[in-house]
Structures are given as structure tokens and as C-alpha cells.
mmCIF file of all heavy atoms in Angstrom:
data_model
loop_
_atom_site.group_PDB
_atom_site.id
_atom_site.type_symbol
_atom_site.label_atom_id
_atom_site.label_comp_id
_atom_site.label_asym_id
_atom_site.label_seq_id
_atom_site.Cartn_x
_atom_site.Cartn_y
_atom_site.Cartn_z
ATOM 1 N N ASP A 1 14.800 39.125 -88.122
ATOM 2 C CA ASP A 1 15.878 38.766 -89.045
ATOM 3 C C ASP A 1 17.241 39.191 -88.496
ATOM 4 O O ASP A 1 18.251 38.520 -88.727
ATOM 5 C CB ASP A 1 15.626 39.413 -90.408
ATOM 6 C CG ASP A 1 16.633 38.950 -91.451
ATOM 7 O OD1 ASP A 1 16.703 37.730 -91.691
ATOM 8 O OD2 ASP A 1 17.354 39.798 -92.013
ATOM 9 N N ARG A 2 17.280 40.291 -87.729
ATOM 10 C CA ARG A 2 18.549 40.777 -87.179
ATOM 11 C C ARG A 2 19.046 39.933 -86.006
ATOM 12 O O ARG A 2 20.175 40.140 -85.533
ATOM 13 C CB ARG A 2 18.392 42.245 -86.736
ATOM 14 C CG ARG A 2 18.106 43.209 -87.883
ATOM 15 C CD ARG A 2 18.332 44.650 -87.476
ATOM 16 N NE ARG A 2 17.413 45.114 -86.457
ATOM 17 C CZ ARG A 2 16.214 45.655 -86.695
ATOM 18 N NH1 ARG A 2 15.778 45.764 -87.965
ATOM 19 N NH2 ARG A 2 15.445 46.072 -85.706
ATOM 20 N N LEU A 3 18.246 38.994 -85.533
ATOM 21 C CA LEU A 3 18.633 38.182 -84.381
ATOM 22 C C LEU A 3 19.365 36.897 -84.750
ATOM 23 O O LEU A 3 19.851 36.180 -83.876
ATOM 24 C CB LEU A 3 17.374 37.787 -83.574
ATOM 25 C CG LEU A 3 16.506 38.905 -83.006
ATOM 26 C CD1 LEU A 3 15.255 38.300 -82.370
ATOM 27 C CD2 LEU A 3 17.262 39.752 -81.999
ATOM 28 N N LYS A 4 19.456 36.582 -86.042
ATOM 29 C CA LYS A 4 19.850 35.235 -86.473
ATOM 30 C C LYS A 4 21.228 34.793 -85.993
ATOM 31 O O LYS A 4 21.479 33.586 -85.848
ATOM 32 C CB LYS A 4 19.765 35.122 -87.991
ATOM 33 C CG LYS A 4 20.621 36.124 -88.750
ATOM 34 C CD LYS A 4 20.348 36.033 -90.239
ATOM 35 C CE LYS A 4 21.129 37.083 -91.013
ATOM 36 N NZ LYS A 4 20.790 37.054 -92.466
ATOM 37 N N ASP A 5 22.127 35.712 -85.720
ATOM 38 C CA ASP A 5 23.481 35.323 -85.303
ATOM 39 C C ASP A 5 23.645 35.226 -83.787
ATOM 40 O O ASP A 5 24.720 34.890 -83.290
ATOM 41 C CB ASP A 5 24.505 36.313 -85.866
ATOM 42 C CG ASP A 5 24.583 36.247 -87.389
ATOM 43 O OD1 ASP A 5 24.382 35.148 -87.938
ATOM 44 O OD2 ASP A 5 24.837 37.297 -88.017
ATOM 45 N N ARG A 6 22.593 35.508 -83.046
ATOM 46 C CA ARG A 6 22.678 35.411 -81.584
ATOM 47 C C ARG A 6 22.622 33.949 -81.139
ATOM 48 O O ARG A 6 21.995 33.114 -81.784
ATOM 49 C CB ARG A 6 21.517 36.163 -80.931
ATOM 50 C CG ARG A 6 21.594 37.671 -81.030
ATOM 51 C CD ARG A 6 20.564 38.282 -80.096
ATOM 52 N NE ARG A 6 20.465 39.727 -80.244
ATOM 53 C CZ ARG A 6 19.669 40.490 -79.506
ATOM 54 N NH1 ARG A 6 18.893 39.941 -78.578
ATOM 55 N NH2 ARG A 6 19.624 41.796 -79.704
ATOM 56 N N PRO A 7 23.242 33.627 -80.004
ATOM 57 C CA PRO A 7 23.135 32.249 -79.474
ATOM 58 C C PRO A 7 21.734 31.983 -78.939
ATOM 59 O O PRO A 7 20.996 32.917 -78.589
ATOM 60 C CB PRO A 7 24.173 32.224 -78.353
ATOM 61 C CG PRO A 7 24.306 33.659 -77.927
ATOM 62 C CD PRO A 7 24.118 34.490 -79.169
ATOM 63 N N ASP A 8 21.359 30.715 -78.869
ATOM 64 C CA ASP A 8 20.047 30.326 -78.373
ATOM 65 C C ASP A 8 20.077 30.077 -76.871
ATOM 66 O O ASP A 8 21.082 29.614 -76.310
ATOM 67 C CB ASP A 8 19.562 29.046 -79.059
ATOM 68 C CG ASP A 8 19.176 29.275 -80.510
ATOM 69 O OD1 ASP A 8 18.901 30.432 -80.871
ATOM 70 O OD2 ASP A 8 19.143 28.297 -81.276
ATOM 71 N N GLY A 9 18.948 30.347 -76.227
ATOM 72 C CA GLY A 9 18.769 29.975 -74.832
ATOM 73 C C GLY A 9 18.353 28.515 -74.720
ATOM 74 O O GLY A 9 18.405 27.753 -75.688
ATOM 75 N N LYS A 10 17.925 28.118 -73.540
ATOM 76 C CA LYS A 10 17.492 26.747 -73.269
ATOM 77 C C LYS A 10 15.984 26.627 -73.524
ATOM 78 O O LYS A 10 15.209 27.498 -73.127
ATOM 79 C CB LYS A 10 17.788 26.359 -71.822
ATOM 80 C CG LYS A 10 19.273 26.445 -71.442
ATOM 81 C CD LYS A 10 20.036 25.238 -71.923
ATOM 82 C CE LYS A 10 21.449 25.235 -71.361
ATOM 83 N NZ LYS A 10 22.228 24.054 -71.797
ATOM 84 N N LEU A 11 15.584 25.509 -74.157
ATOM 85 C CA LEU A 11 14.182 25.285 -74.481
ATOM 86 C C LEU A 11 13.580 24.283 -73.499
ATOM 87 O O LEU A 11 14.054 23.153 -73.386
ATOM 88 C CB LEU A 11 14.053 24.774 -75.917
ATOM 89 C CG LEU A 11 12.642 24.515 -76.452
ATOM 90 C CD1 LEU A 11 11.790 25.781 -76.403
ATOM 91 C CD2 LEU A 11 12.707 23.978 -77.874
ATOM 92 N N ILE A 12 12.523 24.698 -72.799
ATOM 93 C CA ILE A 12 11.845 23.868 -71.805
ATOM 94 C C ILE A 12 10.435 23.558 -72.309
ATOM 95 O O ILE A 12 9.668 24.470 -72.615
ATOM 96 C CB ILE A 12 11.738 24.579 -70.437
ATOM 97 C CG1 ILE A 12 13.082 25.211 -70.040
ATOM 98 C CG2 ILE A 12 11.197 23.617 -69.385
ATOM 99 C CD1 ILE A 12 14.213 24.242 -69.896
ATOM 100 N N LEU A 13 10.084 22.280 -72.381
ATOM 101 C CA LEU A 13 8.750 21.871 -72.811
ATOM 102 C C LEU A 13 7.889 21.546 -71.599
ATOM 103 O O LEU A 13 8.318 20.836 -70.692
ATOM 104 C CB LEU A 13 8.824 20.642 -73.717
ATOM 105 C CG LEU A 13 7.469 20.017 -74.085
ATOM 106 C CD1 LEU A 13 6.677 20.944 -74.985
ATOM 107 C CD2 LEU A 13 7.645 18.659 -74.731
ATOM 108 N N VAL A 14 6.653 22.057 -71.611
ATOM 109 C CA VAL A 14 5.655 21.689 -70.601
ATOM 110 C C VAL A 14 4.590 20.836 -71.285
ATOM 111 O O VAL A 14 3.976 21.255 -72.260
ATOM 112 C CB VAL A 14 5.013 22.928 -69.958
ATOM 113 C CG1 VAL A 14 3.929 22.510 -68.960
ATOM 114 C CG2 VAL A 14 6.070 23.781 -69.263
ATOM 115 N N THR A 15 4.417 19.628 -70.791
ATOM 116 C CA THR A 15 3.397 18.713 -71.309
ATOM 117 C C THR A 15 2.616 18.167 -70.118
ATOM 118 O O THR A 15 2.712 18.694 -69.012
ATOM 119 C CB THR A 15 4.042 17.610 -72.164
ATOM 120 O OG1 THR A 15 3.032 16.804 -72.768
ATOM 121 C CG2 THR A 15 4.971 16.741 -71.347
ATOM 122 N N ALA A 16 1.805 17.115 -70.329
ATOM 123 C CA ALA A 16 0.930 16.674 -69.244
ATOM 124 C C ALA A 16 0.593 15.199 -69.373
ATOM 125 O O ALA A 16 0.834 14.569 -70.400
ATOM 126 C CB ALA A 16 -0.364 17.500 -69.249
ATOM 127 N N ILE A 17 0.008 14.652 -68.287
ATOM 128 C CA ILE A 17 -0.578 13.329 -68.349
ATOM 129 C C ILE A 17 -1.896 13.439 -69.119
ATOM 130 O O ILE A 17 -2.321 14.534 -69.482
ATOM 131 C CB ILE A 17 -0.804 12.741 -66.944
ATOM 132 C CG1 ILE A 17 -1.819 13.581 -66.153
ATOM 133 C CG2 ILE A 17 0.515 12.643 -66.188
ATOM 134 C CD1 ILE A 17 -2.238 12.945 -64.834
ATOM 135 N N ASN A 18 -2.567 12.309 -69.372
ATOM 136 C CA ASN A 18 -3.859 12.374 -70.057
ATOM 137 C C ASN A 18 -4.853 13.155 -69.209
ATOM 138 O O ASN A 18 -5.042 12.850 -68.023
ATOM 139 C CB ASN A 18 -4.397 10.975 -70.337
ATOM 140 C CG ASN A 18 -3.598 10.278 -71.416
ATOM 141 O OD1 ASN A 18 -2.786 9.407 -71.129
ATOM 142 N ND2 ASN A 18 -3.800 10.667 -72.657
ATOM 143 N N PRO A 19 -5.492 14.160 -69.780
ATOM 144 C CA PRO A 19 -6.292 15.091 -68.983
ATOM 145 C C PRO A 19 -7.719 14.625 -68.747
ATOM 146 O O PRO A 19 -8.218 13.719 -69.409
ATOM 147 C CB PRO A 19 -6.294 16.353 -69.856
ATOM 148 C CG PRO A 19 -6.260 15.809 -71.260
ATOM 149 C CD PRO A 19 -5.379 14.577 -71.189
ATOM 150 N N THR A 20 -8.380 15.278 -67.800
ATOM 151 C CA THR A 20 -9.822 15.198 -67.665
ATOM 152 C C THR A 20 -10.424 16.201 -68.643
ATOM 153 O O THR A 20 -9.700 17.050 -69.187
ATOM 154 C CB THR A 20 -10.264 15.548 -66.239
ATOM 155 O OG1 THR A 20 -9.886 16.906 -65.972
ATOM 156 C CG2 THR A 20 -9.597 14.636 -65.220
ATOM 157 N N PRO A 21 -11.737 16.161 -68.889
ATOM 158 C CA PRO A 21 -12.326 17.103 -69.845
ATOM 159 C C PRO A 21 -12.078 18.579 -69.527
ATOM 160 O O PRO A 21 -12.059 19.409 -70.423
ATOM 161 C CB PRO A 21 -13.826 16.771 -69.776
ATOM 162 C CG PRO A 21 -13.853 15.320 -69.435
ATOM 163 C CD PRO A 21 -12.705 15.128 -68.482
ATOM 164 N N ALA A 22 -11.858 18.912 -68.259
ATOM 165 C CA ALA A 22 -11.640 20.315 -67.888
ATOM 166 C C ALA A 22 -10.202 20.773 -68.086
ATOM 167 O O ALA A 22 -9.898 21.956 -67.967
ATOM 168 C CB ALA A 22 -12.051 20.541 -66.439
ATOM 169 N N GLY A 23 -9.283 19.842 -68.387
ATOM 170 C CA GLY A 23 -7.876 20.212 -68.530
ATOM 171 C C GLY A 23 -7.181 20.241 -67.175
ATOM 172 O O GLY A 23 -7.822 20.408 -66.142
ATOM 173 N N GLU A 24 -5.864 20.107 -67.189
ATOM 174 C CA GLU A 24 -5.115 19.985 -65.939
ATOM 175 C C GLU A 24 -4.210 21.176 -65.639
ATOM 176 O O GLU A 24 -3.391 21.115 -64.737
ATOM 177 C CB GLU A 24 -4.290 18.694 -65.962
ATOM 178 C CG GLU A 24 -5.104 17.448 -66.228
ATOM 179 C CD GLU A 24 -6.430 17.417 -65.458
ATOM 180 O OE1 GLU A 24 -6.422 17.609 -64.223
ATOM 181 O OE2 GLU A 24 -7.484 17.232 -66.092
ATOM 182 N N GLY A 25 -4.324 22.259 -66.398
ATOM 183 C CA GLY A 25 -3.542 23.447 -66.078
ATOM 184 C C GLY A 25 -2.170 23.475 -66.702
ATOM 185 O O GLY A 25 -1.229 24.018 -66.136
ATOM 186 N N LYS A 26 -2.054 22.915 -67.894
ATOM 187 C CA LYS A 26 -0.747 22.898 -68.575
ATOM 188 C C LYS A 26 -0.321 24.308 -68.964
ATOM 189 O O LYS A 26 0.831 24.695 -68.732
ATOM 190 C CB LYS A 26 -0.833 21.998 -69.809
ATOM 191 C CG LYS A 26 0.441 21.880 -70.609
ATOM 192 C CD LYS A 26 0.375 20.753 -71.597
ATOM 193 C CE LYS A 26 -0.970 20.649 -72.283
ATOM 194 N NZ LYS A 26 -1.422 21.886 -72.961
ATOM 195 N N THR A 27 -1.235 25.085 -69.536
ATOM 196 C CA THR A 27 -0.904 26.466 -69.881
ATOM 197 C C THR A 27 -0.650 27.280 -68.622
ATOM 198 O O THR A 27 0.279 28.104 -68.570
ATOM 199 C CB THR A 27 -2.032 27.101 -70.712
ATOM 200 O OG1 THR A 27 -2.264 26.311 -71.876
ATOM 201 C CG2 THR A 27 -1.655 28.512 -71.137
ATOM 202 N N THR A 28 -1.450 27.055 -67.586
ATOM 203 C CA THR A 28 -1.251 27.750 -66.316
ATOM 204 C C THR A 28 0.147 27.467 -65.762
ATOM 205 O O THR A 28 0.835 28.367 -65.272
ATOM 206 C CB THR A 28 -2.330 27.310 -65.309
ATOM 207 O OG1 THR A 28 -3.621 27.534 -65.877
ATOM 208 C CG2 THR A 28 -2.217 28.073 -64.005
ATOM 209 N N THR A 29 0.576 26.207 -65.852
ATOM 210 C CA THR A 29 1.914 25.839 -65.371
ATOM 211 C C THR A 29 3.000 26.451 -66.241
ATOM 212 O O THR A 29 4.050 26.883 -65.732
ATOM 213 C CB THR A 29 2.052 24.315 -65.327
ATOM 214 O OG1 THR A 29 1.013 23.766 -64.508
ATOM 215 C CG2 THR A 29 3.411 23.898 -64.778
ATOM 216 N N THR A 30 2.766 26.507 -67.548
ATOM 217 C CA THR A 30 3.733 27.141 -68.451
ATOM 218 C C THR A 30 3.946 28.598 -68.073
ATOM 219 O O THR A 30 5.080 29.083 -67.959
ATOM 220 C CB THR A 30 3.246 27.032 -69.908
ATOM 221 O OG1 THR A 30 3.071 25.659 -70.253
ATOM 222 C CG2 THR A 30 4.233 27.678 -70.871
ATOM 223 N N VAL A 31 2.838 29.308 -67.872
ATOM 224 C CA VAL A 31 2.922 30.726 -67.496
ATOM 225 C C VAL A 31 3.564 30.864 -66.120
ATOM 226 O O VAL A 31 4.449 31.708 -65.909
ATOM 227 C CB VAL A 31 1.524 31.373 -67.523
ATOM 228 C CG1 VAL A 31 1.587 32.820 -67.039
ATOM 229 C CG2 VAL A 31 0.928 31.320 -68.928
ATOM 230 N N GLY A 32 3.120 30.034 -65.174
ATOM 231 C CA GLY A 32 3.677 30.111 -63.822
ATOM 232 C C GLY A 32 5.170 29.845 -63.790
ATOM 233 O O GLY A 32 5.926 30.534 -63.100
ATOM 234 N N LEU A 33 5.627 28.845 -64.569
ATOM 235 C CA LEU A 33 7.055 28.529 -64.595
ATOM 236 C C LEU A 33 7.854 29.673 -65.208
ATOM 237 O O LEU A 33 8.953 30.001 -64.719
ATOM 238 C CB LEU A 33 7.288 27.237 -65.374
ATOM 239 C CG LEU A 33 8.745 26.789 -65.524
ATOM 240 C CD1 LEU A 33 9.425 26.631 -64.169
ATOM 241 C CD2 LEU A 33 8.824 25.488 -66.316
#
């Protein structure tokens, strides 16, 4: 609640192409980035 007047940073979205059943590492890329 004490943060509400601070400016915002930049928001980066990580998404993916249609995956195979095993997944393509979207979360891995999010963490890596």
C-alpha cells in the first residue's frame, strides 16, 4: 500500500508459439530474461 505513489517500470510479456505437449520453455525464458 505504501508503494502506490511510486512510478512504474516497464512491463515485458513473454509468450510463445503453439507448443508441443512438453512445452517450449516459456517460463524458463522468462526467468532467464
Side-chain angles (χ1 to χ4, degrees):
D1 186 59
R2 296 196 295 272
L3 301 175
K4 58 186 177 184
D5 294 328
R6 289 192 187 182
D8 288 339
K10 301 280 189 179
L11 182 59
I12 313 299
L13 173 68
V14 177
T15 186
I17 64 172
N18 289 104
T20 62
E24 305 317 308
K26 180 167 41 55
T27 303
T28 305
T29 304
T30 302
V31 176
L33 178 57

